[in-house]
Amino acid sequence: MSFYYVKKSDPLCGRITVSGAKNAALPAIAATLLTDDTCTLSRIPNLSDISVMTDIVSFLGADIQNTKKGVFEITPNIKRITAPQELCGRLRASSLFMGPLLAKYKRAKIPLPGGCSIGSRPIDLHLKGFAAMGADITVSHGFVSVSAPRLSGADIYLDFPSVGATENIMMAATLADGKTVIENAAAEPEISDLAAMLRKMGAKISGAGSDKILIEGTYSLHSCNHKIIPDRIEAGTFMTAAAMTNGKITLCGVSPSHLRPFSAKLCEMGAEISEGTNEISVDCGRRMSSCSIKTLPYPGFPTDMQAQFCALLSTVPGTGIITETVFENRFLHIDELCRMGADIKTDGRSAVIRGGRLTGANVKATDLRAGAALTLAGLAASGETEVSEIEHIERGYEDFPEKLRALGANIEKNET
Ligand code: EPZ
């Protein structure tokens, strides 16, 4: 079993380049099924989630060439419309195949994505959108089947600005008959990136990045060459690592505007931040102080940065309150942080965090971002920390220990 061995580290310093965004690459891979042509995707991060997604596409019949680091050429050649249970069970984002298969091949059969540690993760909003566009939907034996001879454009209001539902409905609508309007749509940068790729393929989409997206259906889509946006959550995770060690780092290859929700919070805590066109520098040398956070859909503070900030607030003077409004069970890292000496009291969806000193301990990654948070905590804690179940972390962070070591962190990956 692999684990990270982490020791208290000096202030992080130096510069690293951020990888492509996992949460933009996954829908982009699904979107390639909307055409018969070959699509080239670049800046695809080398992650286990990406491998599972490309394995599913291969299973469905596609030809995939990983021509060089981070570059994939995908030619659909779809022969099946049923995605494999064993692969889909490992990746919730497999639900994103429904929209493209339904639109291009008139049907799809996908295993119902199970819940995960952070919540039940339903797909009712995805299905509500497909039904509004005329699809027949049946759920049986753990699979959801969707079918429609031809989708029709529809006006769809999302009860919650779901990222996945917005992506799935937007992809399906590109080949529907007529106009689709998605209201209360998610506005995350990953939505805008998917829309940019779809427009390169010939889709007619406007409003992506706002809460109202308009899609004018077209008859077919063609090939494209698309470079994935940088990973804002990876960038935020390293910014948080700098803050936890009073370091000063520069992140290259980022989109600073995507980082604003947590850049602003770090400035509020005492960090000095300077933005370039594609880079951001974070100086946390001065004494940091606590703050309070409420996670919200973009452009609010991202839920995917909540665990990392829990760890940060555990180490800075003062008391802060973190409220998680997006997922119902996203505090699993707190028990593990408390084993490191953190003073955190939870009450429902809120956590009161009193900053203090952490001590190293053996802790367990319960999910992707919790694992990252515990690794950062180990950089600030006195003594040694072992983070186990790091396969969760390696789903979403490319070369995580290597990048941290490049900034001066005391971390290595060991096997038992
Ligand atoms: C995406 O998940 C991301 N994953 C998540 O990142 C991220 O935390 C989340 O968006 C929110 O930003 C990918 O993009 C692959 P949602 P998604 O649909 O699309 C409820 C990470 O760490 N909901 O916006 O599944 C749902 O239960 C991962 O990289 C419904 O009720 O998130 C949740 O409470 C974790 N019905 C809320 O909406 C639905 O049909 C947000 O879910 C869909 C969602």
Side-chain angles (χ1 to χ4, degrees):
M1 180 186 74
S2 306
F3 63 95
Y4 290 153
Y5 177 68
V6 191
K7 290 170 69 175
K8 186 173 180 58
S9 299
D10 291 336
L12 298 191
C13 64
R15 48 191 308 136
I16 55 169
T17 298
V18 160
S19 300
K22 165 178 80 82
N23 291 349
L26 294 170
I29 291 167
T32 62
L33 304 190
L34 285 163
T35 178
D36 295 322
D37 298 348
T38 298
C39 290
T40 301
L41 300 177
S42 55
R43 196 159 53 187
I44 298 285
N46 178 24
L47 302 169
S48 53
D49 271 12
I50 299 296
S51 302
V52 174
M53 200 75 168
T54 52
D55 287 349
I56 294 171
V57 171
S58 298
F59 177 90
L60 296 174
D63 173 62
I64 301 185
Q65 300 298 324
N66 183 192
T67 52
K68 60 183 179 183
K69 180 171 169 37
V71 180
F72 286 81
E73 291 182 0
I74 300 176
T75 309
N77 298 329
I78 295 304
K79 300 179 182 63
R80 300 184 185 86
I81 54 86
T82 300
Q85 173 92 38
E86 66 281 357
L87 286 172
C88 294
R90 292 165 50 194
L91 184 65
R92 293 190 34 71
S94 51
S95 58
L96 294 173
F97 286 114
M98 279 191 289
L101 290 173
L102 174 61
K104 181 81 170 59
Y105 298 94
K106 316 301 180 197
R107 57 204 174 95
K109 187 176 177 185
I110 308 285
L112 273 169
C116 70
S117 59
I118 64 176
S120 60
R121 311 295 293 274
I123 58 168
D124 57 308
L125 298 177
H126 302 233
L127 301 180
K128 174 182 172 183
F130 297 149
M133 297 166 80
D136 291 325
I137 296 166
T138 56
V139 175
S140 68
H141 306 296
F143 279 78
V144 56
S145 299
V146 292
S147 63
R150 179 114 169 98
L151 291 174
S152 303
D155 291 341
I156 297 162
Y157 183 88
L158 292 180
D159 305 14
F160 181 89
S162 156
V163 171
T166 301
E167 292 167 341
N168 235 338
I169 294 165
M170 187 165 70
M171 289 189 283
T174 58
L175 296 178
D177 196 6
K179 183 170 82 171
T180 296
V181 179
I182 306 174
E183 291 198 79
N184 198 29
E188 273 72 2
E190 292 76 26
I191 305 285
S192 301
D193 195 44
L194 177 61
M197 174 184 170
L198 292 168
R199 280 197 295 270
K200 289 179 187 176
M201 297 171 72
K204 298 181 177 66
I205 300 175
S206 60
S210 77
D211 63 357
K212 185 171 182 178
I213 302 176
L214 280 70
I215 306 105
E216 190 69 52
T218 185
Y219 185 70
S220 67
L221 298 181
H222 52 72
S223 66
C224 76
N225 194 326
H226 184 65
K227 184 174 185 180
I228 300 299
I229 55 171
D231 195 318
R232 60 192 171 100
I233 304 302
E234 182 194 17
T237 303
F238 285 110
M239 291 163 73
T240 309
M244 292 181 73
T245 59
N246 293 114
K248 179 177 180 181
I249 68 171
T250 296
L251 299 176
C252 307
V254 298
S255 299
S257 62
H258 295 168
L259 315 179
R260 205 68 43 77
F262 36 87
S263 297
K265 276 297 168 185
L266 288 174
C267 290
E268 185 184 321
M269 296 174 71
E272 288 184 18
I273 288 182
S274 57
E275 296 180 357
T277 309
N278 297 110
E279 63 179 43
I280 191 165
S281 294
V282 186
D283 183 349
C284 304
R286 292 190 318 175
R287 181 179 166 81
M288 302 280 283
S289 57
S290 192
C291 73
S292 288
I293 288 155
K294 182 177 205 177
T295 67
L296 289 167
Y298 194 89
F301 189 93
T303 175
D304 291 349
M305 282 296 301
Q306 182 258 105
Q308 299 91 312
F309 262 64
C310 255
L312 172 58
L313 297 192
S314 300
T315 64
V316 297
T319 297
I321 297 174
I322 289 188
T323 305
E324 170 59 57
T325 71
V326 177
F327 287 106
E328 67 265 29
N329 191 35
R330 203 167 196 175
F331 280 157
L332 293 175
H333 48 281
I334 288 178
D335 285 345
E336 297 298 297
L337 284 171
C338 289
R339 297 185 58 246
M340 298 177 74
D343 179 353
I344 307 175
K345 301 282 185 297
T346 57
D347 177 9
R349 288 201 173 199
S350 290
V352 179
I353 305 170
R354 287 182 181 76
R357 294 191 182 288
L358 300 181
T359 55
N362 291 352
V363 291
K364 187 172 68 173
T366 50
D367 62 83
L368 165 57
R369 308 302 175 184
L374 292 166
T375 304
L376 301 192
L379 301 178
S382 59
E384 301 159 356
T385 296
E386 285 190 7
V387 184
S388 59
E389 305 202 12
I390 59 172
E391 60 275 8
H392 290 292
I393 304 173
E394 298 190 336
R395 293 181 54 174
Y397 289 92
E398 187 179 44
D399 299 332
F400 193 46
E402 292 80 2
K403 288 178 179 176
L404 283 169
R405 271 204 302 276
L407 295 172
N410 285 323
I411 179 172
E412 56 191 53
K413 178 177 175 179
N414 290 342
E415 307 283 340
T416 48

